[in-house]
Amino acid sequence: MFVGHYAVALATRPSARRAPLWVLILAVQWPDLLWPILLLAGVEQVRIDPGNTVVTPLDFVRYPISHSLLLDLVWGALLAAIVHWRYRDPKSSLWVGAAVVSHWVLDWITHRPDLPLWPGGPRVGLGLWGSVSGTLLVELSLLAIGVVLYVRGTRAVDRTGQWAFWSLLALLLAIYVSNLLGPPPPSEAALAWVSLSLWLLLPWAAWIDRHRTPAIPGPA
Ligand SMILES: [Zn+2]
C-alpha cells in the first residue's frame, strides 16, 4: 500500500484541526519511514524477490519493530502523546494515534501473511497484492475519498496553497506508477536509500499547510 496511506492523512486533516498535514503524513507513514532506517541498521530485513506477489517484488523477511501490530500500537500511542503535549488537543492526538495504526491495517489488507502481530508472533495478511486490479481499485478509491475530504475540508489561502497540494498529489501518483511498472530495485541497500527519500515529503506537507487552512473556522 502506498497512496492509500497518504489518503488517510488527507482525509483526517480537516478533523484533526490542530495537527498539521506533515504530522498526519508522518503518522500514517511512520512504519514505512522507520523501516529504511532499520534496514540500513541491519535490524530489519527485506529481500528483492521478483514475482513475490504480482504487485511487489519485495519479500518482507523481518520487520517486527516497524510493522508488527503491537509495536505500531505503541508507536501510535507515543506519537499521540507527543502531539497532545505539543498541541493540547485530545481530538487531534487521537486522530494521529489512529493514523499510525491505520498503516498496519491497510498493510494487513494488502500484504501476504508477513505482518507479525507482535515481534516473533504469528504473521498475517489478506493478500490484496495478489491482484493488480484489486490493489489499484482499493488504493485509488481511498485516494479519491481522501482528496475529496481534504479539498472540501481545507481552503487554499493563496495560489501556492493550490498548486503545492496538487503537485504533491501528482508526485505521489508518479511514484506509485513507477513502483508498479518499473524494474525491481537493483539491491536491498538501494531500496533502503530510495525509501529514505520519503522523509522529504514532510517539509513539502508543512509548506502546503502554511498555505491552506481548515475550511470551517473552529475553536483554536
Ligand atoms: Zn508499510
Side-chain angles (χ1 to χ4, degrees), residues 5 9 26 51 64 70 106 110 112 119 124 138 145 147 155 200 204 218:
H5 294 307
L26 177 76
L70 179 67
L106 292 180
T110 43
R112 287 192 304 112
V124 296
V138 170
I145 294 167
V147 168
R155 187 171 56 78
L200 295 174
W204 192 325

Side-chain angles (χ1 to χ4, degrees), residues 1 5 29 31-32 63 67 103 107 111 115:
M1 176 84 44
H5 294 307
Q29 275 294 66
D32 283 4
Y63 52 177
H67 278 80
H103 184 102
D107 275 5
H111 283 226
L115 287 156

Side-chain angles (χ1 to χ4, degrees), residues 77-109:
L78 203 65
L79 255 69
I82 294 170
V83 165
H84 185 65
W85 165 75
R86 172 68 181 79
Y87 299 103
R88 298 281 159 209
D89 178 29
K91 199 174 157 198
S92 298
S93 52
L94 275 177
W95 278 115
V96 165
V100 176
V101 179
S102 82
H103 184 102
W104 191 90
V105 174
L106 292 180
D107 275 5
W108 167 66
I109 293 170

